[in-house]
Amino acid sequence: EPVQQRRFAGKSTLLNGLMGQKVTIVTPKPQTTRNQIVGILTDDDAQAIFMDTPGLSQVRGRLSKTMIQAVWQSLGQADVIMPVLDAHLYIRHPEYLDRDLAPVAEALASDERPMVVVANKVANKVDLFADKSRMLPLLTRLNEMWPRAEIFPVSALNKDGLPELAKLIKKQLPKGIAQFPEDQISTAPVRFMAAEIVREKLFLHLRQEVPYGIAVEVENWDEDPEREQTIIHAVIYVARPMHKGMVIGRGGSVLKQVGMEARQDIRELIGGKVHLEL
């Protein structure tokens, strides 16, 4: 059976689920996190700052040490390390564990920071957690690879296990003062987050046709106090003229649908009415 070499591990879905709202782009395609977006979760007695890095591409053969080092260097100041794995993939193909994860485990073997390895159920069609016997071999093998780590199965899509995971993360954090105001959810500017929401909708609607060269920029952001709404003008850039028609769609259908869905998410993000022009 052919197996995809690159998969959607659900990192962004996990982060958004822990936060309780969208802070990073979610698409069925891998490698869509271009920027290190930080989510900030604050409750009565803790503040957790999440750094969402680009995922490790699964390529044929072993991952290069250079690639691994580049990913973990971006987490140099982290207090807790949390690899997120596609549980469905490694239950179906346990032979890929050593190929994909052994280099990562080796690179982190001497790291003394707390580690939580999240085995995330990505697939919708199979309820892996209903049949716990299918999960057990995977969890056992992960314990062997990371003997110091907490191995934690979740389903980020269904939000199963996320409250318990949040409690575990909180226990691993060092004591200290809060670094951000309690009502701040991200260090990313709201304009950037709005542009990411538009880009997310483009990925979801164009699917296989969408070129990775697409970019979204918010040109104008104005507040209209009389109508109590935010007016946003955003520009979608494409790599080639031929891609313009794909983004617009027949009779403007794609652009209209993208705008409608993005407007709803941006409205939730800023907590008010939004007029969005693309």
Side-chain angles (χ1 to χ4, degrees):
E1 179 184 1
V3 178
Q4 288 179 296
Q5 295 300 318
R6 300 159 68 99
R7 285 188 54 90
F8 175 49
K11 242 180 339 88
S12 297
T13 304
L14 177 69
L15 177 58
N16 291 340
L18 286 167
M19 291 294 301
Q21 56 188 297
K22 183 188 298 293
V23 291
T24 183
I25 185 171
V26 179
T27 83
K29 299 175 181 292
Q31 302 301 334
T32 48
T33 302
R34 293 184 179 178
N35 302 74
Q36 182 171 300
I37 302 171
V38 179
I40 306 163
L41 179 61
T42 306
D43 60 19
D44 293 339
D45 61 347
Q47 184 173 85
I49 302 164
F50 297 96
M51 291 180 286
D52 185 32
T53 66
L56 288 170
S57 299
Q58 292 179 3
V59 296
R60 296 183 185 277
R62 294 169 63 88
L63 292 171
S64 70
K65 289 186 177 181
T66 303
M67 185 185 299
I68 296 168
Q69 290 171 355
V71 171
W72 294 117
Q73 279 175 359
S74 67
L75 295 179
Q77 297 182 354
D79 296 305
V80 180
I81 298 175
M82 189 173 70
V84 181
L85 314 177
D86 179 351
H88 183 63
L89 173 65
Y90 294 118
I91 285 174
R92 291 172 61 228
H93 298 280
E95 68 274 16
Y96 291 171
L97 277 171
D98 284 332
R99 183 197 70 177
D100 294 341
L101 303 183
V104 183
E106 181 183 342
L108 296 172
S110 60
D111 200 307
E112 298 181 354
R113 287 176 291 181
M115 188 181 306
V116 179
V117 179
V118 177
N120 182 28
K121 173 204 158 190
V122 178
N124 294 329
K125 296 180 180 179
V126 182
D127 187 356
L128 301 174
F129 298 100
D131 183 3
K132 294 183 179 179
S133 63
R134 298 188 67 199
M135 284 289 294
L136 189 58
L138 172 62
L139 300 181
T140 300
R141 184 69 185 102
L142 291 175
N143 268 307
E144 293 172 353
M145 297 182 76
W146 280 294
R148 292 190 308 105
E150 295 273 1
I151 312 298
F152 209 92
V154 303
S155 175
L157 199 61
N158 300 328
K159 297 183 170 55
D160 293 337
L162 295 192
E164 293 79 10
L165 177 60
K167 290 179 182 179
L168 176 60
I169 293 169
K170 189 167 70 171
K171 288 181 181 179
Q172 305 279 20
L173 296 173
K175 292 183 178 180
I177 61 173
Q179 298 183 33
F180 296 95
E182 63 180 23
D183 60 346
Q184 185 173 345
I185 64 165
S186 176
T187 58
V190 176
R191 286 190 180 203
F192 170 78
M193 294 174 72
E196 282 290 272
I197 287 172
V198 174
R199 193 164 69 94
E200 171 191 68
K201 304 309 177 187
L202 287 166
F203 268 103
L204 293 174
H205 280 281
L206 296 174
R207 300 186 185 279
Q208 301 299 327
E209 298 177 33
V210 68
Y212 274 80
I214 277 185
V216 178
E217 179 185 7
V218 174
E219 278 196 330
N220 291 297
W221 184 294
D222 297 314
E223 303 293 337
D224 186 343
E226 292 185 3
R227 298 184 180 182
E228 297 182 344
Q229 69 176 356
T230 301
I231 302 172
I232 302 170
H233 295 256
V235 178
I236 300 167
Y237 293 96
V238 293
R240 299 177 181 178
M242 64 178 292
H243 295 150
K244 184 176 179 180
M246 298 180 186
V247 171
I248 295 173
R250 182 173 297 178
S253 58
V254 173
L255 200 60
K256 181 179 179 181
Q257 187 68 21
V258 165
M260 182 181 68
E261 294 179 7
R263 185 169 58 251
Q264 292 173 352
D265 281 11
I266 296 171
R267 186 171 61 224
E268 293 180 8
L269 174 69
I270 67 176
K273 297 178 182 179
V274 172
H275 175 77
L276 175 64
E277 289 190 12
L278 299 178

